[in-house]
């Protein structure tokens, strides 16, 4: 039963985060790209001040999978790398911590590009 409640919590939290993004798209003049960027930046800021990690532990995948979670991953990676390597870690930490996700996105994007048949939008 506890596992089921974890799934429900992740679904609800992720759904609320996505619903907020959709409301911003529908009700403001912000473009989707700006909203996605804002989500990452908010995740970085909340991760840097230490607020996002407890929330992510409570919400599970509902908080770690969306773009806020990606921003938090970047912030945590930079924090760790700066502690280990000093100033150089500020430039390398985010990439190191998010390398798996970035590689997966590039790989699966390439795979879909090979399989899918693109169509010209002007036609």
């Amino acid at each position: 039963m506890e596992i089921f409640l974890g799934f429900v919590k992740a679904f609800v939290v992720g759904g609320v985060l996505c619903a907020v993004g959709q409301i911003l798209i529908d009700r403001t003049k912000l473009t989707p790209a700006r909203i996605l960027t804002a989500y990452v930046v908010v995740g970085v800021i909340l991760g840097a001040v230490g607020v996002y990690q407890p929330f992510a532990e409570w919400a599970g995948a509902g908080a770690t999978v969306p773009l806020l979670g990606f921003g938090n991953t970047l912030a945590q990676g930079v924090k760790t790398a700066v502690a280990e390597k000093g100033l150089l870690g500020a430039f390398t930490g985010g990439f190191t911590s998010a390398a798996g996700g970035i590689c997966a996105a590039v790989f699966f994007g390439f795979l879909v590009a090979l399989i899918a048949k693109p169509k010209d939008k002007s036609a």
Side-chain angles (χ1 to χ4, degrees):
M1 185 67 174
E2 188 176 325
I3 292 174
F4 177 73
L5 291 177
F7 287 140
V8 170
K9 192 181 338 179
F11 178 78
V12 170
V13 170
V16 167
L17 292 174
C18 292
V20 169
Q22 187 63 48
I23 290 168
L24 289 173
I25 289 171
D26 293 342
R27 305 277 172 137
T28 68
K29 292 184 179 190
L30 293 172
T31 63
R34 288 184 181 191
I35 294 169
L36 296 175
T37 303
Y39 266 39
V40 173
V41 170
V42 168
V44 168
I45 292 169
L46 293 176
V49 296
V51 175
Y52 199 78
Q53 194 60 37
F55 171 65
E57 289 172 7
W58 174 80
T64 57
V65 173
L67 285 170
L68 288 167
F70 179 70
N72 178 52
T73 300
L74 293 175
Q76 297 308 316
V78 169
K79 260 186 184 174
T80 303
V82 166
E84 293 173 0
K85 301 175 185 172
L87 183 60
L88 182 61
F91 299 104
T92 62
F95 294 114
T96 303
S97 67
I102 293 170
C103 287
V106 170
F107 174 76
F108 289 113
F110 179 71
L111 191 65
V112 169
L114 289 176
I115 295 170
K117 266 188 157 176
K119 296 180 182 174
D120 189 11
K121 287 188 175 188
S122 64

